[in-house]
Amino acid sequence: MPLKFYCYLILILLVMTVAAPTHAARKLVAAVLTSDLPRYREAHKAFTRTLAQKGYDQSNIEIITQTPNPDPISWANTIRKFNAIGADIIITYGAPVTLAAMRESDSIPIVFVDVYGPVETGITRSMTVPGGNFTGVSSKVPMVTLIKAAQEVKPIRTLGVLYNSREIGSVVQLKELKRIGAQMGFAVVEMNVSSTTMLDNALSSLLSSRVDWLYLSESTPVSRSFEKIIRRTNESKIPVISHVPDASDKGALVALEINSLEQGQIAGDYAAKILAGKKPAHMAISTPKKIDLIVNLKVAKLLDLHVPIQVLNVATKVLK
C-alpha cells in the first residue's frame, strides 16, 4: 500500500484518540473525610458503588481516600496534596473539610457530603445555584421537629448541649437550639467539647445541673464517645436527643436521622455528571429526602418515661 495511505490511517487514529469521550479517559477522584466516623465511611461506600453503576470504575477512574487528623492544618494539607497530584474532582465529607477545600482549591470541582446547613455554615449563599466550583448534599433536618417530639415525652425547661466549637455544623446546631429555646421558653446550657479529653468534665457539669434533656450534636468527639455518654445519662435518668446517624440504635430516646447511603448515592450521581463535563455551579445542592423520626421505647422504659401516642403516630420508626 502507498505511504500516503498509512499516513492517512495514522491521522484518523490520532483524531479518534483526541476526540474520545471524557468518560473513557482515566480520571482521578480524591476523597477526604473530616474524621473517621461510621457515617462518612458508609456514605463513601455508597458513593463508590454509585459511581461504578454510572460507568466509572477501576477501569477509568482512580479513587484516593484520605482521613487526616481532625484539625484545620491537616485538612488544608490534604487538599493541597490533592491539588498537587492534579485531582479531577474532590469529594469532601463534613463541613470542616469542605470549608478547607473551598479555601485551598478554587478550580478543581468539589462535591461535598453530609454538610449540616450549607448556607448557615457559610459554604454557599444559594441552595439552588451554588455558583463557584462546588455543589453537594446537605444533611440539615428540621430541628424543631425533634424538639417538639421530645417535649411531648418530657417537658423541656433546660436543655443541655454537647457541641464542638471547631466543627461549624455543630456550632450551627447549637445556634438553632438557642433560637428555638427562645421561642419555646426553655434554657440552653452549652458545653464545648473540642476533644475527647474534655468530655468527662463537660458531661459531669451538665448532669450535675440536672438538665431535662441532653442534645448530642454532630461532632467528632461526641460521635466517638456516644455509647459512653449514653451509659452516664442512663445512670442519671436523663434522656438524649440527637441528629447523629444511628443515634437511636445507640441509645438516644428520640432521634431525627438522615440516611448516609442516600447522601453517598446523590454525591456519586453528581460526581458522575461532573466527570462527564457538567459544571457544579449549575447543580442545585440536594436536601435529604429520607428522614426518620425514631423513638426508642426500650430507652423510655429504662428511664421510666411514657411516650404518648401522638409521638408514636408521627414517628417513622419505633424501636421496641
Side-chain angles (χ1 to χ4, degrees):
M1 292 185 183
L3 179 62
K4 183 183 289 187
F5 174 81
Y6 285 111
C7 291
Y8 181 68
L9 181 61
I10 291 171
L11 179 62
I12 291 176
L13 291 174
L14 286 172
V15 171
M16 289 176 64
T17 301
V18 173
T22 55
H23 190 318
R26 189 171 176 82
K27 301 288 187 178
L28 179 58
V29 178
V32 56
L33 285 62
T34 290
S35 57
D36 187 19
L37 294 179
R39 73 173 185 268
Y40 294 153
R41 294 197 300 269
E42 186 175 323
H44 187 57
K45 288 179 182 178
F47 168 81
T48 55
R49 286 196 299 267
T50 301
L51 268 187
Q53 291 166 2
K54 300 291 182 179
Y56 292 94
D57 53 27
Q58 293 180 352
S59 66
N60 51 26
I61 65 168
E62 179 183 359
I63 300 178
I64 299 175
T65 305
Q66 294 287 304
T67 309
N69 292 329
D71 62 76
I73 293 176
S74 298
W75 296 325
N77 285 340
T78 299
I79 300 301
R80 290 169 190 158
K81 291 176 185 176
F82 290 165
N83 291 336
I85 63 177
D88 292 286
I89 187 170
I90 297 175
I91 314 300
T92 58
Y93 294 85
V97 79
T98 299
L99 289 168
M102 293 176 64
R103 287 190 295 267
E104 300 294 335
S105 183
D106 58 3
S107 58
I108 300 174
I110 297 169
V111 176
F112 60 78
V113 188
D114 202 347
V115 169
Y116 189 93
V119 173
E120 293 85 348
T121 54
I123 288 173
T124 183
R125 293 182 180 179
S126 171
M127 295 287 286
T128 54
V129 185
N133 62 322
F134 61 89
T135 187
V137 193
S138 168
S139 61
K140 188 179 181 187
V141 295
M143 181 77 76
V144 69
T145 299
L146 180 64
I147 294 299
K148 286 181 177 179
Q151 283 271 33
E152 294 287 342
V153 178
K154 180 184 178 183
I156 304 176
R157 296 179 300 274
T158 303
L159 177 67
V161 178
L162 288 177
Y163 81 106
N164 182 1
S165 61
R166 293 169 59 179
E167 296 186 39
I168 187 63
S170 182
V171 174
V172 168
Q173 291 172 354
L174 172 63
K175 290 180 179 179
E176 286 189 12
L177 288 168
K178 287 183 174 180
R179 177 180 55 79
I180 295 171
Q183 293 172 348
M184 298 179 65
F186 62 80
V188 173
V189 180
E190 65 194 75
M191 283 291 167
N192 178 24
V193 181
S194 56
S195 68
T196 52
T197 57
M198 301 172 65
L199 177 66
D200 286 335
N201 288 338
L203 187 55
S204 294
S205 179
L206 286 175
L207 296 181
S208 63
S209 65
R210 301 305 301 173
V211 295
D212 299 298
W213 286 80
L214 181 63
Y215 176 83
L216 303 185
S217 71
E218 293 186 35
S219 64
T220 301
V222 170
S223 295
R224 286 178 173 174
S225 304
F226 205 98
E227 289 89 346
K228 177 181 180 180
I229 296 170
I230 291 296
R231 285 196 298 272
R232 293 193 57 186
T233 54
N234 285 346
E235 291 171 357
S236 299
K237 297 292 185 179
I238 295 175
V240 166
I241 53 175
S242 184
H243 285 114
V244 175
D246 299 324
S248 54
D249 290 326
K250 294 177 180 178
L253 198 157
V254 184
L256 193 63
E257 303 177 14
I258 59 159
N259 187 289
S260 297
L261 292 177
E262 179 198 30
Q263 295 258 316
Q265 289 164 356
I266 295 172
D269 180 62
Y270 278 12
K273 291 176 180 177
I274 292 170
L275 290 171
K278 191 167 184 177
K279 300 297 182 183
H282 307 300
M283 301 170 67
I285 295 170
S286 179
T287 55
K289 294 179 177 62
K290 299 177 181 177
I291 303 175
D292 285 314
L293 178 64
I294 308 173
V295 176
N296 192 324
L297 290 181
K298 292 183 291 186
V299 174
K301 183 178 180 180
L302 179 67
L303 301 180
D304 300 319
L305 291 172
H306 171 70
V307 179
I309 190 65
Q310 58 264 34
V311 175
L312 297 177
N313 286 340
V314 297
T316 56
K317 291 184 180 180
V318 177
L319 304 182
K320 299 181 180 180

